Amino acid sequence: MSTYTLPVVTEAPSAATGTVYTVASGDLRPSANVTCWPTQQKLEGDLTAALTALGWKVARGHPVDEAKGHGFIDSQRAGIEVFKTLPPDAPLIVVEGVWQYSHHVLAGLRSHRGPILVVANWSGEFPGLVGLLNLAGSLTKARRDYSVLWSVDFTDEWAREGLRTWLETGTLRHDTGHVRDLPPLADLPAGPETELGTALARQLITEKAIIGVFDEGCMGMYNAIIDDEHLNPLGIYKERLSQSALVAEMRKVPDEEAAAVRTWLDDAGMTFHTGTDEATELTDAQLHSQFKMYIAALRIADDFGLDAVGIQYQQGLKDTVPASDLAEGLLGNVQRPPVRSRDGSRELYAGAPLPHFNEVDEGVAVDLLVTNRIWTAMGLDPATTLHDIRWGEEYDGRFVWVFEISGAVPASHHGGYDKSWSMRQPPMFFPLGGGTLSGVSKPGELVWSRVFLMDGTLHVDLGRATAVALPEEETRRRLDATNPQWPIMHAVLHGVTRDQFMARHRANHLNVAYAPDAPTAEKALLAKAAFFAELGLTVHLCGEAGI
């Protein structure tokens, strides 16, 4: 008879009475974790004070690593090891004052049996709110119950009561009364917009589209990966590509072609804030590399017949070439430097954007395809982009959001290249630099949206907003409070409060597209709702979405 050595399963520890446990997911990049650690320490101190005042003890689930200079869980393996030591039935708070990689803690959170609360500091300094929303979207996709809460410093009564409720009941619900389901497609207002959306959806399902994915799964964003089984019934198929192929194609681009891109942008009035220090400044050499990437991306897209493209850019690519952001912003604009096929016989994607879904967020990819087709059919500017939901504050009696994606938006969103500029990406994120495509988004009417997975099916939230102009000094204050290198939009949501939006949103990103006026925005929103409904998504209208 054979005998085998059986594994010894570690006995799970028991939770201490009256104790709440905390963990902190961080970045994969050591420089970001070290830079952001003081902000995280302050948040954890504020939260501990609030919990102590409510009569609870706080046990940090993992020690600070003095050698690394921070106390973040900085890899998936580290997270798995941490959760082995945590009582599986204990109340657990994920504390986020920074951008974090959700997959660092997702394995542990999936199997954790106790109540989970994700908290963030209401601050623009580092993207803690963005990290909270990404983890919320990832847990939603994973079908794991959780609660969320946010506060400047957890001294306010609203946050304290939220903590008390969660500690006593294991759950915390916020007001989401701004959300309502779209009526059945047959009950939508009859008219050209409903007809257009329905027809375009049927065309997509029948004729199909290809999205090019340069390496899936950016920065641990589990929520941003949508399986083929969900996409294919919509008529959307993935072309899985490698960022190494992009770099290889960049090496084939002649210097004079990259120089021609720079000349075109200079003639269009774009400003490049350049210097000579490669470590801290944007240089002409970095820009030259980015222009080669722009050309290479278009040529690969043409090779595969892509309808949209996404470049992961993290990890790996940032350690190989300057950041991809400038190329991404150029791709998404109608007016952009012309690029010809390798043999020079054809202009690629002439007179049209090649929609780009930043950070290979495939929920954004679905939205881009839909928006591009509707806006084009309606004769509107089809340039669309995603933004991070970064932060916001009251200004002049209304809440104005800071929507701020980490590198580039189409120049038309700023009012043109002459109102756009490029600055070096922060060294802690991008050691090889690279320029942004930045500016302040022009005032105007918006349709916003987010495609996400919930309960195993695709959903979409749709709403209306207005991009507003703020005084120059207030814009500068908000940029300085976040990342001044990145493009910013001052947005006012229609009929959705700050806390309603945070409670409902299932991702760190949302899509925005401009309309020339409010009536046109309403028509475009109706067409978009009909498109999504015909595709079979569950459509939710948010706030004053007038259908």
Side-chain angles (χ1 to χ4, degrees):
M1 179 179 178
S2 299
T3 59
Y4 302 98
T5 302
L6 301 180
V8 177
V9 179
T10 304
E11 185 175 347
S14 299
T17 302
T19 300
V20 62
Y21 293 75
T22 66
V23 296
S25 179
D27 209 296
L28 185 65
R29 295 160 289 200
S31 56
N33 285 331
V34 171
T35 301
C36 300
W37 178 236
T39 295
Q40 178 71 20
Q41 284 182 300
K42 180 181 184 306
L43 170 59
E44 292 189 20
D46 292 341
L47 179 66
T48 297
L51 292 166
T52 302
L54 293 171
W56 284 71
K57 297 177 182 178
V58 179
R60 197 171 198 275
H62 48 106
V64 175
D65 189 324
E66 299 297 343
K68 290 183 176 180
H70 66 80
F72 291 111
I73 296 172
D74 57 4
S75 71
Q76 185 168 224
R77 170 52 61 189
I80 288 171
E81 296 303 317
V82 165
F83 273 85
K84 288 179 183 178
T85 69
L86 297 179
D89 297 305
L92 178 67
I93 302 180
V94 185
V95 189
E96 295 303 336
V98 302
W99 169 244
Q100 58 84 37
Y101 285 29
S102 291
H103 80 300
H104 290 174
V105 291
L106 190 60
L109 294 175
R110 273 186 184 273
S111 57
H112 189 75
R113 298 192 296 262
I116 295 169
L117 177 67
V118 185
V119 304
N121 54 339
W122 194 266
S123 169
E125 182 184 13
F126 297 118
L129 294 166
V130 184
L132 176 149
L133 288 169
N134 182 261
L135 185 54
S138 295
L139 289 169
T140 296
K141 178 186 172 184
R143 306 195 205 189
R144 179 59 175 91
D145 290 338
Y146 64 95
S147 302
V148 290
L149 187 62
W150 47 89
S151 174
V152 172
D153 56 12
F154 288 91
T155 60
D156 57 288
E157 189 61 26
W158 181 81
R160 292 283 177 104
E161 282 305 307
L163 286 173
R164 186 192 310 277
T165 298
W166 181 78
L167 290 165
E168 292 176 354
T169 68
T171 190
L172 177 61
R173 290 185 171 86
H174 301 282
D175 172 26
T176 55
H178 65 292
V179 181
R180 66 191 189 280
D181 290 343
L182 183 76
L185 190 55
D187 296 336
L188 289 183
E193 287 74 39
T194 301
E195 184 179 2
L196 175 64
T198 303
L200 288 171
R202 291 172 181 169
Q203 180 190 39
L204 175 59
I205 293 169
T206 301
E207 298 183 5
K208 301 179 176 39
I210 302 174
I211 59 172
V213 181
F214 280 102
D215 291 337
E216 208 162 40
C218 181
M219 295 187 288
M221 295 192 295
Y222 172 70
N223 68 309
I225 301 170
I226 300 180
D227 291 341
D228 299 64
E229 285 74 15
H230 294 292
L231 293 178
N232 294 170
L234 313 182
I236 300 173
Y237 291 78
K238 297 181 192 179
E239 190 72 58
R240 289 175 169 85
L241 303 166
S242 170
Q243 292 185 110
S244 61
L246 181 62
V247 174
E249 185 65 30
M250 289 170 61
R251 292 172 179 166
K252 300 176 185 177
V253 176
D255 288 333
E256 57 269 23
E257 291 187 5
V261 173
R262 174 65 182 271
T263 299
W264 191 98
L265 292 169
D266 286 339
D267 291 345
M270 187 167 170
T271 300
F272 295 94
H273 296 278
T274 57
T276 57
D277 183 356
E278 292 285 348
T280 61
E281 296 177 307
L282 178 63
T283 66
D284 289 335
Q286 293 168 24
L287 290 167
H288 194 72
S289 173
Q290 290 181 292
F291 299 144
K292 288 191 173 187
M293 183 183 292
Y294 165 66
I295 295 167
L298 279 162
R299 286 181 175 158
I300 292 175
D302 180 61
D303 289 342
F304 289 93
L306 304 182
D307 296 279
V309 65
I311 302 171
Q312 187 203 119
Y313 90 103
Q314 302 280 1
Q315 295 291 325
L317 192 66
K318 70 172 179 59
D319 300 314
T320 307
V321 293
S324 59
D325 300 276
L326 180 53
E328 296 170 4
L330 294 174
L331 291 171
N333 210 53
V334 176
Q335 289 79 34
R336 52 182 177 77
V339 173
R340 305 194 72 82
S341 56
R342 295 179 189 87
D343 63 5
S345 64
R346 296 174 295 117
E347 184 180 345
L348 305 181
Y349 297 87
L354 173 60
H356 181 276
F357 45 106
N358 302 48
E359 299 169 0
V360 290
D361 186 334
E362 292 164 6
V364 171
V366 175
D367 205 333
L368 282 175
L369 287 174
V370 172
T371 304
N372 176 271
R373 293 175 183 220
I374 291 172
W375 263 242
T376 298
M378 293 180 67
L380 308 177
D381 177 13
T384 183
T385 190
L386 60 79
H387 274 288
D388 277 334
I389 298 134
R390 182 63 181 265
W391 172 61
E393 284 187 341
E394 293 276 338
Y395 185 83
D396 197 24
R398 57 184 175 176
F399 189 85
V400 181
W401 285 94
V402 171
F403 292 162
E404 191 176 80
I405 189 57
S406 55
V409 302
S412 67
H413 282 213
H414 305 141
Y417 288 100
D418 59 332
K419 298 178 180 63
S420 303
W421 56 83
S422 185
M423 301 175 69
R424 191 199 193 279
Q425 281 281 25
M428 75 169 176
F429 294 135
F430 299 95
L432 299 183
T436 59
L437 205 167
S438 294
V440 180
S441 289
K442 64 186 179 183
E445 297 303 313
L446 303 168
V447 176
W448 66 264
S449 47
R450 175 68 210 186
V451 173
F452 60 98
L453 277 166
M454 182 169 67
D455 299 325
T457 61
L458 283 171
H459 294 243
V460 61
D461 283 355
L462 294 172
R464 287 269 291 105
T466 302
V468 299
L470 296 182
E472 185 175 348
E473 59 272 19
E474 177 64 10
T475 296
R476 174 48 53 190
R477 185 185 74 85
R478 288 172 177 242
L479 283 168
D480 289 342
T482 54
N483 285 87
Q485 305 93 338
W486 294 348
I488 189 171
M489 173 180 279
H490 307 307
V492 176
L493 301 181
H494 294 188
V496 185
T497 69
R498 181 198 81 163
D499 294 336
Q500 285 177 327
F501 188 72
M502 287 293 300
R504 167 64 184 182
H505 207 64
R506 299 292 192 255
N508 49 308
H509 295 147
L510 88 168
N511 270 42
V512 293
Y514 276 92
D517 50 51
T520 305
E522 292 293 339
K523 291 178 180 179
L525 188 146
L526 174 57
K528 195 167 184 177
F531 197 138
F532 279 123
E534 182 67 20
L535 289 179
L537 277 73
T538 302
V539 182
H540 310 279
L541 303 176
C542 299
E544 297 169 5
I547 297 177

